[in-house]
Amino acid sequence: QKEVEQNSGPLSVPEGAIASLNCTYSDRGSQSFFWYRQYSGKSPELIMFIYSNGDKEDGRFTAQLNKASQYVSLLIRDSQPSDSATYLCAADNAGNMLTFGGGTRLMVKP
Amino acid sequence: ETGVTQTPRHLVMGMTNKKSLKCEQHLGHNAMYWYKQSAKKPLELMFVYSLEERVENNSVPSRFSPECPNSSHLFLHLHTLQPEDSALYLCASSQVRGTAINIQYFGAGTRLSVL
């Protein structure tokens, strides 16, 4: 069974710190990986996607992918209280489906 | 606003009722999805339609019945639900093109409570 695993948290970081969110996946055939942010009671919104090994940066966000280790991470620099949310990791499967992890709840404390 | 609209936003129904959830996408996408999100559980893919044909049905109970009349509209018909079906039901859409990245955009969801 194809799985995506995340630590449920909560991960608590002080304002201004770097938040590091991690995700592992089981399907070696997965090619693309996605990070979604979901505020309480709201729908998931896409933050970033990555498909090449290495780092991809977008503003305060950096996604990292290591296909050999089947590991994806999201770094949030200069964390703000408004970043407090649940972060969902997803991996694509054959047939253009996504498998989601259970999400990591991030709390940024002022 | 993601371009994916779901109605109603909240729904309370009894176990003997019949209701429908509606999703409409304004993004010109060719694939639409229904997901179920329960507390403490990952998003569960229920149904996938690509080019208006159902391509995935993840062993969903028959009390959930999807309908995709065209590429912009998706329905989820509900009947004789159980209390454990109470959850957030999310619709998503994407443009599926060969090996291109499949980015899914979500609607705001319907919060369903079954009494």
Side-chain angles (χ1 to χ4, degrees), chain A residues 4 31-32 34 36 38 41-46 49-51 88 92 95-98 100-102, chain B residues 9 33 35 37 42-43 45 48 55-56 88 90 96 98 100-108 111:
Chain A
V4 175
Q31 295 295 315
S32 306
F34 305 81
Y36 284 83
Q38 186 174 24
K42 303 294 185 182
S43 62
E45 56 178 322
L46 182 70
F49 65 88
I50 187 168
Y51 53 87
L88 305 176
D92 75 332
N96 295 298
M97 314 297 172
L98 295 184
F100 283 83
Chain B
R9 293 293 309 279
Y33 311 78
Y35 287 90
Q37 189 173 38
L43 273 170
L45 179 63
V48 181
V55 297
E56 182 77 11
L88 180 67
L90 291 161
V96 174
I101 305 292
N102 178 21
I103 299 175
Q104 295 184 15
Y105 296 88
F106 286 85
R111 175 69 62 186

Side-chain angles (χ1 to χ4, degrees), chain B residues 49-63:
Chain B
Y49 279 83
S50 181
L51 299 174
E52 301 159 43
E53 290 191 10
R54 190 191 305 180
V55 297
E56 182 77 11
N57 176 355
N58 280 337
S59 302
V60 178
S62 59
R63 57 186 182 269

Side-chain angles (χ1 to χ4, degrees), chain A residues 80-97:
Chain A
Q80 301 297 308
S82 58
D83 294 326
S84 298
T86 296
Y87 289 79
L88 305 176
C89 174
D92 75 332
N93 300 315
N96 295 298
M97 314 297 172

